[in-house]
């Protein structure tokens, strides 16, 4: 049985518009970048559904998960949390404030630096992130299972390669 081609998706329609309006430009990169952008948005929506079931935002889930994967005693300094979650310290403070009010983390002075603070998971915080992370992994499996095992493996290889090249410091980054 012959497979019918699927109708043009939103990205293909946008490209067609640009080709008509600006035939002098190569809009080919939109085929990949535009779809990756749309996919990232859709994946974020799907992931946030799980976080929301646990009363968490994406950022709060990230903080709790970072503390949990730190291992016992499940704590880090706020600056470490910011570095591990790639957000500013100001944004981290707001997340920690909310999680502390909810009884999911505590803050205390660092023993080796009285100006420093340590953020730690509470028992309810650990129980919540364990449950949320379990469902999160089931959800990610569901999303990835939309691809074959071979497709997922190939995609992982391509994305890993691309990201490493994008993250590699360029000539202007070292001085």
């Amino acid at each position: 049985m012959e497979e019918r081609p699927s109708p043009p998706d939103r990205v293909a329609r946008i490209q067609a518009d640009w080709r008509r309006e600006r035939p002098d430009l190569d809009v080919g990169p939109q085929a990949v970048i535009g779809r990756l952008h749309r996919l990232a948005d859709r994946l974020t929506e799907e992931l946030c559904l799980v976080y929301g079931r646990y009363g968490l935002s994406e950022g709060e889930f990230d903080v709790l998960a970072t503390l949990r994967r730190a291992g016992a005693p499940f704590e880090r300094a706020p600056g470490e949390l910011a570095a591990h979650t790639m957000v500013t310290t100001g944004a981290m403070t707001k997340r920690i404030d909310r999680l502390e009010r909810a009884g999911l983390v505590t803050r205390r002075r660092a023993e080796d630096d009285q100006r420093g603070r340590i953020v730690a998971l509470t028992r309810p915080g650990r129980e919540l992130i364990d449950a949320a992370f379990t469902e999160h992994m089931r959800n990610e499996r569901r999303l990835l299972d939309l691809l074959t095992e071979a497709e997922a493996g190939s995609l992982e290889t391509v994305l890993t390669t691309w990201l490493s090249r994008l993250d590699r410091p360029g000539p202007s980054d070292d001085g």
Side-chain angles (χ1 to χ4, degrees):
M1 184 171 165
E2 191 175 319
E3 196 173 310
R4 247 189 282 144
S6 55
D9 65 4
R10 181 181 295 181
V11 174
R13 289 190 303 270
I14 289 169
Q15 283 183 285
D17 290 346
W18 277 119
R19 280 188 188 106
R20 182 191 67 239
E21 294 300 314
R22 292 292 311 269
D24 57 309
L25 292 178
D26 172 17
V27 296
Q30 284 184 320
V32 173
I33 304 293
R35 286 184 180 92
L36 278 174
H37 191 339
R38 287 189 41 76
L39 181 61
D41 288 348
R42 287 288 292 120
L43 290 174
T44 298
E45 287 172 20
E46 293 292 324
L47 297 177
C48 286
L49 291 173
V50 170
Y51 310 148
R53 285 198 277 276
Y54 291 87
L56 299 170
S57 69
E58 183 178 23
E60 293 160 351
F61 176 90
D62 199 16
V63 170
L64 295 178
T66 300
L67 288 169
R68 178 62 175 94
R69 72 176 184 262
F74 311 110
E75 58 186 35
R76 291 191 184 270
E80 287 180 291
L81 282 171
H84 283 274
T85 57
M86 298 182 294
V87 298
T88 66
T89 52
M92 182 55 63
T93 299
K94 290 178 184 177
R95 291 175 184 179
I96 293 168
D97 288 347
R98 158 96 171 54
L99 293 168
E100 188 175 37
R101 282 192 305 275
L104 302 174
V105 301
T106 59
R107 272 188 275 219
R108 64 174 167 75
R109 289 194 187 280
E111 293 167 11
D112 58 343
D113 177 3
Q114 288 302 302
R115 292 173 304 170
R117 297 276 188 256
I118 298 294
V119 179
L121 274 178
T122 61
R123 181 181 301 274
R126 183 173 171 194
E127 290 169 358
L128 180 73
I129 193 58
D130 280 349
F133 188 72
T134 298
E135 187 175 344
H136 173 67
M137 285 293 90
R138 278 194 298 262
N139 192 35
E140 283 195 352
R141 171 54 51 205
R142 175 187 67 83
L143 294 166
L144 198 57
D145 282 348
L146 296 171
L147 301 175
T148 66
E149 194 173 321
E151 288 168 337
S154 294
L155 182 60
E156 180 182 359
T157 299
V158 168
L159 293 175
T160 300
T161 300
W162 194 3
L163 190 57
S164 72
R165 290 176 186 168
L166 192 60
D167 286 346
R168 188 178 306 147
S172 63
D173 293 343
D174 50 50

